[in-house]
Amino acid sequence: MGVGKSTVGRLLAERLGTGFRDTDEDIVAAEGRAIADIFVDEGEPAFRAIEKRAVHTALAEHEGVLALGGGAVLDADTRALLAGHPVVYLSMDVEEAVRRTGLNVARPLLAVNPRKQWRELMEARRHLYEEVAAAVVPTDGRTPEEVTRAALDALELKEA
């Protein structure tokens, strides 16, 4: 959350001369409401089912840069589909998350005690991010342009 998936994804797509797609944006467009509203109205399991469909559809339809929501890797089928793709895990620590998001915006999984919940989410997910990642790129203290360059270098990709 707040790591820069969409910003860096768009920059990567631009540098690579390809398209960009964000599955969170796909979900909002398809559902006609914010992700936070889906969580509140239907709960996390319903959202995760919607997210799984969105990610699977995007992987089947899109050949450019794809940004996935932070919880997409919770699904084993999704992780299996990501195998073999040049996945970049953009990492950051809690202090950077606070600086970037304030941890006070509409983040349904961080509603109570955001710092503690952020740490718990990361402890539960980090190994899954690393499992699917071809590269891990720290974002702490870096500009989106610096993160983009690091991702290109880590994946040994050349700009278009």
Side-chain angles (χ1 to χ4, degrees), residues 11-25:
L11 287 170
L12 275 172
E14 179 183 305
R15 303 286 193 298
L16 294 169
T18 191
F20 172 77
R21 185 167 176 174
D22 184 326
T23 58
D24 283 350
E25 292 174 3

Side-chain angles (χ1 to χ4, degrees), residues 118-160:
W118 189 90
R119 282 190 182 100
E120 289 173 358
L121 279 174
M122 286 309 301
E123 287 171 14
R125 294 177 179 180
R126 184 174 287 112
H127 73 283
L128 298 174
Y129 295 147
E130 291 170 349
E131 176 186 320
V132 301
V136 178
V137 176
T139 64
D140 302 271
R142 288 176 151 174
T143 66
E145 292 77 14
E146 291 168 333
V147 174
T148 301
R149 169 54 41 210
L152 287 166
D153 291 345
L155 294 174
E156 300 178 358
L157 296 172
K158 304 292 181 222
E159 294 186 40

Side-chain angles (χ1 to χ4, degrees), residues 23-94:
T23 58
D24 283 350
E25 292 174 3
D26 289 352
I27 292 167
V28 170
E31 295 295 313
R33 56 194 166 141
I35 290 172
D37 292 339
I38 299 169
F39 267 84
V40 169
D41 296 344
E42 298 179 38
E44 184 176 0
F47 172 75
R48 294 296 171 209
I50 293 166
E51 179 179 52
K52 178 179 178 174
R53 287 190 304 273
V55 171
H56 289 224
T57 298
L59 283 168
E61 294 176 354
H62 184 72
E63 294 188 10
V65 175
L66 182 62
L68 305 182
V73 298
L74 297 173
D75 181 73
D77 293 336
T78 299
R79 291 194 308 276
L81 279 177
L82 291 170
H85 289 277
V87 176
V88 176
Y89 162 34
L90 301 178
S91 69
M92 72 177 167
D93 63 24
V94 70

